[in-house]
Amino acid sequence: MKTILIYASMTGNTEEMAEAVAAGVREAGGDVTVKEVLDANVHDLNDYDGILLGAYTWGDGELPDEFLDFYDDMADLNLEGKKAAVFGSCDSSYAEYGAAVDILTNKLKELGAEVVLEGLKVELTPKAAEKELCSQFGQKFIERLNS
């Protein structure tokens, strides 16, 4: 079973999370392709059994600008039969904590994907313990993907 992980990161926080999630996927025996959202094509999602999306929350609870075109292009997809999960770095100083994770989770469900894990939200820069949570998130995803 193949997994794709697509993420957006401005300050490196979500990138660190993505690296730890991908490491967890590999530790669990999974095959993962990692791409920054600007290097990904929405139709790539059709070629994978598992979909992991990562995004930081911008402004008052929006997706980051670099994720907007990808998000809009997702509208034409049918993701039935795919398993998915979402993660992202967050900032509790905003009114909407981690809204980008929720936005992407809802879009995946709308398109028919089975979201198999609750969205993982980490406050700003992931510390060692939070990186371990990210790794466990990747491992759990592979367990769910294979079940």
Side-chain angles (χ1 to χ4, degrees), residues 17-145:
M17 291 181 72
E19 290 168 355
V21 170
V25 166
R26 291 181 186 108
E27 285 173 31
D31 176 23
V32 63
T33 299
V34 179
K35 293 186 177 189
E36 288 188 52
V37 71
L38 293 175
D39 297 328
N41 182 307
V42 73
H43 297 290
D44 292 342
L45 301 180
N46 292 320
D47 299 331
Y48 293 85
D49 307 296
I51 299 167
L52 291 163
L53 299 179
Y56 61 94
T57 300
W58 182 247
D60 291 325
E62 296 101 39
L63 286 173
D65 287 346
E66 62 268 37
F67 227 112
L68 293 177
D69 288 341
F70 188 91
Y71 179 85
D72 290 342
D73 291 346
M74 287 174 72
D76 298 330
L77 294 177
N78 176 352
L79 298 179
E80 289 181 26
K82 309 282 184 189
K83 292 186 179 180
V86 184
F87 63 92
S89 60
C90 309
D91 185 341
S92 59
S93 68
Y94 291 112
E96 299 277 339
Y97 184 74
V101 171
D102 302 329
I103 291 167
L104 290 172
T105 297
N106 290 335
K107 178 57 85 175
L108 288 164
K109 289 177 181 177
E110 178 186 311
L111 299 173
E114 178 187 355
V115 176
V116 296
L117 296 173
E118 183 178 332
L120 177 62
K121 299 177 182 180
V122 170
E123 178 77 11
L124 301 172
T125 305
K127 312 284 185 282
E130 293 160 328
K131 287 181 184 178
E132 179 58 30
L133 284 177
C134 292
S135 176
Q136 291 171 6
F137 186 82
Q139 291 171 24
K140 288 177 190 169
F141 183 77
I142 292 304
E143 290 171 12
R144 304 277 166 82
L145 183 61

